[in-house]
Amino acid sequence: MDLKNAQTAVDNWIQEHGVRYFNELTNMAQLTEEVGEVARIIARRYGEQSEKESDKDKDLGEELADVVFVVLCLANQTGINLQNAFDKKLDLKTKRDKDRHKNNEKLQ
């Protein structure tokens, strides 16, 4: 599913199940919370912190999907076409960073 269709799917879900969008500030707080959950899993599973028993069953993919869902909500409610914005960003990064990472000795 592309981002445009994902935005439509989220909007349809909100209309059918969610009553309405939370306001932008609430969604920003929710996004921060979801990113924190991703950070917790990564810090404990891939970083130096030990993973608690209660965290071992947490699904990183599910938590990342929570982040994407809230980002799509924010895009919808602020009138952002995320597909267009993403395509422009990828084009910019491609032009700007075309050789940057290939020439980075730290990545060799």
Side-chain angles (χ1 to χ4, degrees), residues 26-83:
T26 299
N27 273 337
M28 187 61 232
Q30 189 173 3
L31 177 60
T32 302
E33 180 182 338
E34 298 298 350
V35 169
E37 291 175 18
V38 168
R40 179 183 179 112
I41 291 171
I42 290 176
R44 293 174 185 218
R45 195 164 296 163
Y46 304 102
E48 296 175 340
Q49 288 185 316
S50 59
E51 191 169 25
K52 294 180 178 180
E53 275 305 312
S54 60
D55 289 340
K56 289 186 178 180
D57 291 333
K58 301 247 179 184
D59 183 341
L60 179 57
E62 183 178 331
E63 298 304 333
L64 287 168
D66 286 341
V67 169
V68 171
F69 186 90
V70 179
V71 166
L72 293 169
C73 286
L74 284 165
N76 284 348
Q77 66 193 133
T78 58
I80 302 296
N81 179 322
L82 205 51
Q83 186 68 61

Short mmCIF file of all heavy atoms in Angstrom, two decimals, residues 26-83:
data_model
loop_
_atom_site.label_atom_id
_atom_site.label_comp_id
_atom_site.label_asym_id
_atom_site.label_seq_id
_atom_site.Cartn_x
_atom_site.Cartn_y
_atom_site.Cartn_z
N THR A 26 -2.89 16.41 20.92
CA THR A 26 -3.07 15.08 21.49
C THR A 26 -2.36 14.04 20.63
O THR A 26 -1.67 13.16 21.15
CB THR A 26 -4.57 14.73 21.63
OG1 THR A 26 -5.18 15.69 22.50
CG2 THR A 26 -4.77 13.34 22.19
N ASN A 27 -2.50 14.15 19.31
CA ASN A 27 -1.82 13.20 18.44
C ASN A 27 -0.31 13.36 18.51
O ASN A 27 0.42 12.38 18.41
CB ASN A 27 -2.32 13.33 17.00
CG ASN A 27 -3.54 12.46 16.77
OD1 ASN A 27 -3.77 11.48 17.48
ND2 ASN A 27 -4.33 12.80 15.77
N MET A 28 0.18 14.58 18.70
CA MET A 28 1.63 14.77 18.85
C MET A 28 2.11 14.08 20.12
O MET A 28 3.16 13.42 20.13
CB MET A 28 1.96 16.26 18.88
CG MET A 28 3.44 16.57 18.86
SD MET A 28 4.26 15.96 17.37
CE MET A 28 5.60 15.07 18.10
N ALA A 29 1.36 14.21 21.20
CA ALA A 29 1.72 13.52 22.44
C ALA A 29 1.66 12.01 22.25
O ALA A 29 2.53 11.28 22.73
CB ALA A 29 0.78 13.96 23.57
N GLN A 30 0.66 11.55 21.54
CA GLN A 30 0.53 10.12 21.28
C GLN A 30 1.70 9.62 20.43
O GLN A 30 2.24 8.54 20.66
CB GLN A 30 -0.80 9.83 20.60
CG GLN A 30 -1.13 8.36 20.50
CD GLN A 30 -2.53 8.12 19.96
OE1 GLN A 30 -3.26 9.05 19.62
NE2 GLN A 30 -2.90 6.88 19.88
N LEU A 31 2.10 10.41 19.44
CA LEU A 31 3.24 10.04 18.60
C LEU A 31 4.51 9.92 19.45
O LEU A 31 5.28 8.97 19.30
CB LEU A 31 3.44 11.07 17.48
CG LEU A 31 4.64 10.85 16.57
CD1 LEU A 31 4.54 9.51 15.84
CD2 LEU A 31 4.74 12.00 15.57
N THR A 32 4.70 10.86 20.34
CA THR A 32 5.87 10.83 21.22
C THR A 32 5.86 9.57 22.08
O THR A 32 6.89 8.91 22.26
CB THR A 32 5.89 12.09 22.11
OG1 THR A 32 5.90 13.25 21.26
CG2 THR A 32 7.09 12.12 23.03
N GLU A 33 4.69 9.22 22.59
CA GLU A 33 4.55 8.01 23.39
C GLU A 33 4.89 6.76 22.57
O GLU A 33 5.63 5.88 23.03
CB GLU A 33 3.11 7.91 23.91
CG GLU A 33 2.84 6.69 24.75
CD GLU A 33 1.38 6.62 25.20
OE1 GLU A 33 0.71 7.67 25.23
OE2 GLU A 33 0.93 5.51 25.49
N GLU A 34 4.40 6.70 21.35
CA GLU A 34 4.65 5.53 20.50
C GLU A 34 6.13 5.43 20.12
O GLU A 34 6.71 4.34 20.11
CB GLU A 34 3.78 5.57 19.24
CG GLU A 34 2.28 5.53 19.50
CD GLU A 34 1.79 4.27 20.20
OE1 GLU A 34 2.55 3.30 20.35
OE2 GLU A 34 0.62 4.26 20.61
N VAL A 35 6.76 6.56 19.82
CA VAL A 35 8.19 6.56 19.51
C VAL A 35 8.98 6.11 20.74
O VAL A 35 9.97 5.38 20.61
CB VAL A 35 8.66 7.95 19.01
CG1 VAL A 35 10.18 8.04 18.95
CG2 VAL A 35 8.05 8.24 17.64
N GLY A 36 8.53 6.49 21.91
CA GLY A 36 9.18 6.04 23.15
C GLY A 36 9.11 4.53 23.31
O GLY A 36 10.07 3.89 23.77
N GLU A 37 7.98 3.94 22.92
CA GLU A 37 7.85 2.48 22.99
C GLU A 37 8.81 1.80 22.02
O GLU A 37 9.43 0.78 22.34
CB GLU A 37 6.41 2.07 22.74
CG GLU A 37 5.48 2.48 23.88
CD GLU A 37 4.02 2.18 23.61
OE1 GLU A 37 3.71 1.37 22.72
OE2 GLU A 37 3.17 2.76 24.31
N VAL A 38 8.98 2.37 20.82
CA VAL A 38 9.94 1.85 19.86
C VAL A 38 11.35 1.96 20.45
O VAL A 38 12.15 1.01 20.38
CB VAL A 38 9.85 2.60 18.50
CG1 VAL A 38 11.03 2.26 17.61
CG2 VAL A 38 8.53 2.27 17.81
N ALA A 39 11.67 3.11 21.02
CA ALA A 39 12.99 3.34 21.60
C ALA A 39 13.28 2.35 22.72
O ALA A 39 14.40 1.83 22.82
CB ALA A 39 13.11 4.77 22.11
N ARG A 40 12.29 2.07 23.52
CA ARG A 40 12.47 1.12 24.63
C ARG A 40 12.84 -0.26 24.12
O ARG A 40 13.77 -0.89 24.61
CB ARG A 40 11.20 1.06 25.47
CG ARG A 40 11.28 0.10 26.63
CD ARG A 40 9.93 0.04 27.36
NE ARG A 40 9.99 -0.88 28.45
CZ ARG A 40 9.93 -0.55 29.72
NH1 ARG A 40 9.79 0.72 30.05
NH2 ARG A 40 9.99 -1.45 30.66
N ILE A 41 12.11 -0.73 23.11
CA ILE A 41 12.41 -2.05 22.55
C ILE A 41 13.81 -2.08 21.95
O ILE A 41 14.59 -3.00 22.21
CB ILE A 41 11.36 -2.44 21.49
CG1 ILE A 41 10.01 -2.69 22.15
CG2 ILE A 41 11.81 -3.67 20.71
CD1 ILE A 41 8.86 -2.86 21.16
N ILE A 42 14.15 -1.07 21.16
CA ILE A 42 15.45 -1.05 20.50
C ILE A 42 16.59 -0.94 21.52
O ILE A 42 17.60 -1.64 21.41
CB ILE A 42 15.51 0.06 19.44
CG1 ILE A 42 14.59 -0.33 18.27
CG2 ILE A 42 16.94 0.29 18.95
CD1 ILE A 42 14.46 0.70 17.18
N ALA A 43 16.42 -0.09 22.52
CA ALA A 43 17.46 0.10 23.54
C ALA A 43 17.73 -1.20 24.29
O ALA A 43 18.87 -1.52 24.62
CB ALA A 43 17.06 1.20 24.51
N ARG A 44 16.67 -1.95 24.53
CA ARG A 44 16.83 -3.16 25.33
C ARG A 44 17.14 -4.39 24.50
O ARG A 44 17.83 -5.29 24.95
CB ARG A 44 15.58 -3.38 26.17
CG ARG A 44 15.48 -2.26 27.20
CD ARG A 44 14.23 -2.28 27.99
NE ARG A 44 14.26 -1.09 28.84
CZ ARG A 44 13.82 -1.04 30.06
NH1 ARG A 44 13.30 -2.10 30.60
NH2 ARG A 44 13.87 0.07 30.73
N ARG A 45 16.65 -4.43 23.29
CA ARG A 45 16.88 -5.61 22.45
C ARG A 45 18.18 -5.51 21.67
O ARG A 45 18.87 -6.51 21.45
CB ARG A 45 15.71 -5.78 21.49
CG ARG A 45 15.65 -7.15 20.84
CD ARG A 45 14.31 -7.41 20.22
NE ARG A 45 13.27 -7.45 21.23
CZ ARG A 45 11.96 -7.34 20.97
NH1 ARG A 45 11.55 -7.19 19.72
NH2 ARG A 45 11.08 -7.38 21.94
N TYR A 46 18.53 -4.29 21.23
CA TYR A 46 19.70 -4.12 20.39
C TYR A 46 20.78 -3.28 21.04
O TYR A 46 21.91 -3.25 20.57
CB TYR A 46 19.31 -3.50 19.04
CG TYR A 46 18.27 -4.30 18.32
CD1 TYR A 46 16.94 -3.91 18.32
CD2 TYR A 46 18.60 -5.48 17.66
CE1 TYR A 46 15.97 -4.65 17.66
CE2 TYR A 46 17.64 -6.23 17.00
CZ TYR A 46 16.32 -5.81 17.01
OH TYR A 46 15.37 -6.56 16.37
N GLY A 47 20.43 -2.59 22.09
CA GLY A 47 21.40 -1.74 22.79
C GLY A 47 22.00 -2.44 23.98
O GLY A 47 21.95 -3.66 24.10
N GLU A 48 22.52 -1.67 24.88
CA GLU A 48 23.26 -2.22 26.02
C GLU A 48 22.40 -2.50 27.23
O GLU A 48 22.84 -3.16 28.16
CB GLU A 48 24.40 -1.27 26.38
CG GLU A 48 25.43 -1.17 25.25
CD GLU A 48 26.50 -0.16 25.51
OE1 GLU A 48 26.32 0.75 26.35
OE2 GLU A 48 27.56 -0.27 24.87
N GLN A 49 21.17 -2.00 27.25
CA GLN A 49 20.29 -2.29 28.38
C GLN A 49 19.82 -3.73 28.32
O GLN A 49 19.63 -4.28 27.23
CB GLN A 49 19.07 -1.38 28.37
CG GLN A 49 19.36 0.05 28.75
CD GLN A 49 18.07 0.85 28.83
OE1 GLN A 49 17.21 0.74 27.99
NE2 GLN A 49 17.96 1.66 29.87
N SER A 50 19.60 -4.33 29.48
CA SER A 50 19.06 -5.69 29.49
C SER A 50 17.55 -5.60 29.25
O SER A 50 16.89 -4.64 29.65
CB SER A 50 19.35 -6.38 30.82
OG SER A 50 18.79 -5.65 31.88
N GLU A 51 17.05 -6.61 28.57
CA GLU A 51 15.63 -6.64 28.24
C GLU A 51 14.86 -7.29 29.39
O GLU A 51 15.19 -8.38 29.84
CB GLU A 51 15.42 -7.42 26.94
CG GLU A 51 14.05 -7.29 26.37
CD GLU A 51 13.94 -7.84 24.96
OE1 GLU A 51 14.73 -8.72 24.57
OE2 GLU A 51 13.06 -7.36 24.24
N LYS A 52 13.83 -6.61 29.86
CA LYS A 52 12.99 -7.16 30.92
C LYS A 52 12.14 -8.29 30.36
O LYS A 52 11.79 -8.30 29.18
CB LYS A 52 12.07 -6.07 31.49
CG LYS A 52 12.79 -4.96 32.21
CD LYS A 52 11.80 -3.95 32.73
CE LYS A 52 12.50 -2.86 33.50
NZ LYS A 52 11.56 -1.87 34.03
N GLU A 53 11.80 -9.24 31.21
CA GLU A 53 10.94 -10.34 30.79
C GLU A 53 9.64 -9.82 30.17
O GLU A 53 9.17 -10.34 29.18
CB GLU A 53 10.60 -11.26 31.97
CG GLU A 53 11.62 -12.33 32.25
CD GLU A 53 11.94 -13.22 31.06
OE1 GLU A 53 11.00 -13.72 30.39
OE2 GLU A 53 13.13 -13.43 30.80
N SER A 54 9.10 -8.77 30.76
CA SER A 54 7.83 -8.22 30.30
C SER A 54 7.94 -7.57 28.92
O SER A 54 6.94 -7.33 28.26
CB SER A 54 7.28 -7.20 31.30
OG SER A 54 8.20 -6.14 31.47
N ASP A 55 9.18 -7.28 28.47
CA ASP A 55 9.38 -6.64 27.18
C ASP A 55 9.71 -7.63 26.07
O ASP A 55 9.67 -7.27 24.89
CB ASP A 55 10.52 -5.60 27.26
CG ASP A 55 10.13 -4.38 28.05
OD1 ASP A 55 8.92 -4.13 28.21
OD2 ASP A 55 11.04 -3.66 28.51
N LYS A 56 10.03 -8.85 26.42
CA LYS A 56 10.51 -9.82 25.42
C LYS A 56 9.46 -10.19 24.39
O LYS A 56 9.79 -10.58 23.28
CB LYS A 56 11.06 -11.06 26.11
CG LYS A 56 12.37 -10.77 26.81
CD LYS A 56 13.03 -11.99 27.37
CE LYS A 56 14.36 -11.58 27.99
NZ LYS A 56 15.07 -12.71 28.55
N ASP A 57 8.18 -10.07 24.75
CA ASP A 57 7.12 -10.41 23.80
C ASP A 57 6.63 -9.20 23.00
O ASP A 57 5.75 -9.33 22.17
CB ASP A 57 5.92 -11.04 24.53
CG ASP A 57 6.25 -12.42 25.08
OD1 ASP A 57 7.13 -13.10 24.50
OD2 ASP A 57 5.63 -12.82 26.08
N LYS A 58 7.21 -8.04 23.26
CA LYS A 58 6.79 -6.84 22.53
C LYS A 58 7.21 -6.96 21.07
O LYS A 58 8.31 -7.39 20.76
CB LYS A 58 7.40 -5.59 23.15
CG LYS A 58 7.04 -5.40 24.60
CD LYS A 58 6.19 -4.22 24.81
CE LYS A 58 5.87 -4.17 26.30
NZ LYS A 58 5.02 -3.17 26.68
N ASP A 59 6.32 -6.57 20.19
CA ASP A 59 6.54 -6.69 18.75
C ASP A 59 6.98 -5.34 18.19
O ASP A 59 6.19 -4.38 18.15
CB ASP A 59 5.23 -7.14 18.10
CG ASP A 59 5.33 -7.38 16.61
OD1 ASP A 59 6.27 -6.87 15.97
OD2 ASP A 59 4.44 -8.06 16.08
N LEU A 60 8.24 -5.25 17.77
CA LEU A 60 8.78 -4.00 17.24
C LEU A 60 7.99 -3.55 16.02
O LEU A 60 7.69 -2.36 15.87
CB LEU A 60 10.26 -4.16 16.90
CG LEU A 60 10.97 -2.94 16.31
CD1 LEU A 60 10.86 -1.73 17.24
CD2 LEU A 60 12.42 -3.27 16.01
N GLY A 61 7.62 -4.48 15.16
CA GLY A 61 6.84 -4.13 13.97
C GLY A 61 5.51 -3.49 14.34
O GLY A 61 5.08 -2.50 13.72
N GLU A 62 4.86 -4.02 15.35
CA GLU A 62 3.58 -3.46 15.79
C GLU A 62 3.76 -2.05 16.33
O GLU A 62 2.95 -1.15 16.06
CB GLU A 62 2.97 -4.36 16.87
CG GLU A 62 1.61 -3.91 17.34
CD GLU A 62 1.02 -4.86 18.38
OE1 GLU A 62 1.33 -6.06 18.35
OE2 GLU A 62 0.24 -4.37 19.22
N GLU A 63 4.84 -1.85 17.07
CA GLU A 63 5.10 -0.51 17.62
C GLU A 63 5.45 0.49 16.52
O GLU A 63 5.03 1.64 16.55
CB GLU A 63 6.20 -0.57 18.69
CG GLU A 63 5.86 -1.42 19.90
CD GLU A 63 4.58 -1.03 20.61
OE1 GLU A 63 4.17 0.15 20.55
OE2 GLU A 63 3.97 -1.91 21.24
N LEU A 64 6.22 0.04 15.53
CA LEU A 64 6.52 0.92 14.39
C LEU A 64 5.24 1.25 13.62
O LEU A 64 5.06 2.38 13.16
CB LEU A 64 7.55 0.27 13.47
CG LEU A 64 8.98 0.22 14.01
CD1 LEU A 64 9.84 -0.71 13.15
CD2 LEU A 64 9.58 1.61 14.07
N ALA A 65 4.35 0.27 13.49
CA ALA A 65 3.07 0.52 12.81
C ALA A 65 2.24 1.54 13.59
O ALA A 65 1.54 2.36 12.98
CB ALA A 65 2.30 -0.79 12.63
N ASP A 66 2.31 1.51 14.93
CA ASP A 66 1.62 2.52 15.73
C ASP A 66 2.14 3.92 15.40
O ASP A 66 1.36 4.88 15.28
CB ASP A 66 1.81 2.26 17.23
CG ASP A 66 1.00 1.09 17.76
OD1 ASP A 66 0.01 0.69 17.09
OD2 ASP A 66 1.34 0.58 18.85
N VAL A 67 3.45 4.04 15.24
CA VAL A 67 4.06 5.33 14.88
C VAL A 67 3.53 5.78 13.52
O VAL A 67 3.12 6.94 13.35
CB VAL A 67 5.60 5.23 14.88
CG1 VAL A 67 6.23 6.48 14.26
CG2 VAL A 67 6.13 5.01 16.28
N VAL A 68 3.54 4.88 12.56
CA VAL A 68 3.07 5.22 11.21
C VAL A 68 1.60 5.64 11.25
O VAL A 68 1.22 6.63 10.60
CB VAL A 68 3.28 4.03 10.24
CG1 VAL A 68 2.61 4.29 8.91
CG2 VAL A 68 4.77 3.78 10.04
N PHE A 69 0.78 4.92 12.01
CA PHE A 69 -0.64 5.25 12.09
C PHE A 69 -0.84 6.68 12.59
O PHE A 69 -1.60 7.45 12.00
CB PHE A 69 -1.36 4.27 13.03
CG PHE A 69 -2.85 4.46 13.06
CD1 PHE A 69 -3.67 3.78 12.18
CD2 PHE A 69 -3.44 5.31 14.00
CE1 PHE A 69 -5.05 3.96 12.20
CE2 PHE A 69 -4.82 5.49 14.03
CZ PHE A 69 -5.62 4.81 13.13
N VAL A 70 -0.14 7.06 13.64
CA VAL A 70 -0.31 8.41 14.20
C VAL A 70 0.24 9.46 13.23
O VAL A 70 -0.36 10.53 13.05
CB VAL A 70 0.34 8.54 15.59
CG1 VAL A 70 0.17 9.96 16.13
CG2 VAL A 70 -0.27 7.55 16.56
N VAL A 71 1.35 9.15 12.55
CA VAL A 71 1.88 10.08 11.54
C VAL A 71 0.85 10.29 10.43
O VAL A 71 0.61 11.42 9.98
CB VAL A 71 3.23 9.58 10.97
CG1 VAL A 71 3.62 10.34 9.72
CG2 VAL A 71 4.32 9.68 12.02
N LEU A 72 0.21 9.20 9.99
CA LEU A 72 -0.83 9.33 8.97
C LEU A 72 -2.01 10.15 9.47
O LEU A 72 -2.57 10.96 8.72
CB LEU A 72 -1.28 7.94 8.51
CG LEU A 72 -0.21 7.13 7.75
CD1 LEU A 72 -0.66 5.69 7.58
CD2 LEU A 72 0.11 7.76 6.40
N CYS A 73 -2.38 9.98 10.72
CA CYS A 73 -3.45 10.81 11.30
C CYS A 73 -3.07 12.28 11.25
O CYS A 73 -3.87 13.13 10.83
CB CYS A 73 -3.72 10.40 12.75
SG CYS A 73 -4.61 8.86 12.96
N LEU A 74 -1.85 12.60 11.69
CA LEU A 74 -1.41 13.99 11.68
C LEU A 74 -1.37 14.56 10.27
O LEU A 74 -1.77 15.71 10.05
CB LEU A 74 -0.03 14.11 12.34
CG LEU A 74 -0.03 14.02 13.87
CD1 LEU A 74 1.37 13.77 14.40
CD2 LEU A 74 -0.62 15.29 14.47
N ALA A 75 -0.92 13.77 9.31
CA ALA A 75 -0.90 14.23 7.92
C ALA A 75 -2.32 14.51 7.45
O ALA A 75 -2.58 15.56 6.83
CB ALA A 75 -0.22 13.19 7.03
N ASN A 76 -3.24 13.61 7.73
CA ASN A 76 -4.63 13.79 7.30
C ASN A 76 -5.24 15.05 7.89
O ASN A 76 -5.86 15.85 7.19
CB ASN A 76 -5.48 12.59 7.70
CG ASN A 76 -5.26 11.39 6.80
OD1 ASN A 76 -4.66 11.48 5.75
ND2 ASN A 76 -5.76 10.25 7.24
N GLN A 77 -5.07 15.23 9.17
CA GLN A 77 -5.77 16.33 9.82
C GLN A 77 -5.12 17.68 9.57
O GLN A 77 -5.74 18.72 9.82
CB GLN A 77 -5.96 16.07 11.31
CG GLN A 77 -4.73 16.02 12.13
CD GLN A 77 -4.98 15.45 13.51
OE1 GLN A 77 -4.25 14.62 13.95
NE2 GLN A 77 -6.01 15.90 14.19
N THR A 78 -3.91 17.69 9.04
CA THR A 78 -3.26 18.96 8.71
C THR A 78 -3.19 19.20 7.21
O THR A 78 -2.56 20.16 6.75
CB THR A 78 -1.84 19.02 9.30
OG1 THR A 78 -1.06 17.92 8.81
CG2 THR A 78 -1.87 19.00 10.83
N GLY A 79 -3.83 18.31 6.43
CA GLY A 79 -3.93 18.52 5.00
C GLY A 79 -2.66 18.22 4.22
O GLY A 79 -2.45 18.75 3.13
N ILE A 80 -1.80 17.38 4.76
CA ILE A 80 -0.55 17.03 4.10
C ILE A 80 -0.75 15.79 3.24
O ILE A 80 -1.26 14.77 3.72
CB ILE A 80 0.56 16.73 5.14
CG1 ILE A 80 0.79 17.92 6.06
CG2 ILE A 80 1.86 16.28 4.46
CD1 ILE A 80 1.30 19.16 5.41
N ASN A 81 -0.34 15.86 1.98
CA ASN A 81 -0.30 14.68 1.13
C ASN A 81 1.06 14.05 1.38
O ASN A 81 2.08 14.49 0.87
CB ASN A 81 -0.46 15.06 -0.35
CG ASN A 81 -0.40 13.87 -1.28
OD1 ASN A 81 0.38 12.95 -1.08
ND2 ASN A 81 -1.22 13.91 -2.32
N LEU A 82 1.07 13.04 2.23
CA LEU A 82 2.33 12.45 2.67
C LEU A 82 3.08 11.75 1.54
O LEU A 82 4.31 11.73 1.54
CB LEU A 82 2.07 11.48 3.83
CG LEU A 82 3.20 11.22 4.79
CD1 LEU A 82 3.81 12.51 5.33
CD2 LEU A 82 2.75 10.34 5.93
N GLN A 83 2.36 11.22 0.57
CA GLN A 83 3.02 10.59 -0.58
C GLN A 83 3.85 11.63 -1.33
O GLN A 83 5.01 11.40 -1.64
CB GLN A 83 2.01 9.94 -1.52
CG GLN A 83 2.64 9.16 -2.66
CD GLN A 83 3.36 7.92 -2.16
OE1 GLN A 83 2.74 7.04 -1.58
NE2 GLN A 83 4.66 7.83 -2.40
#
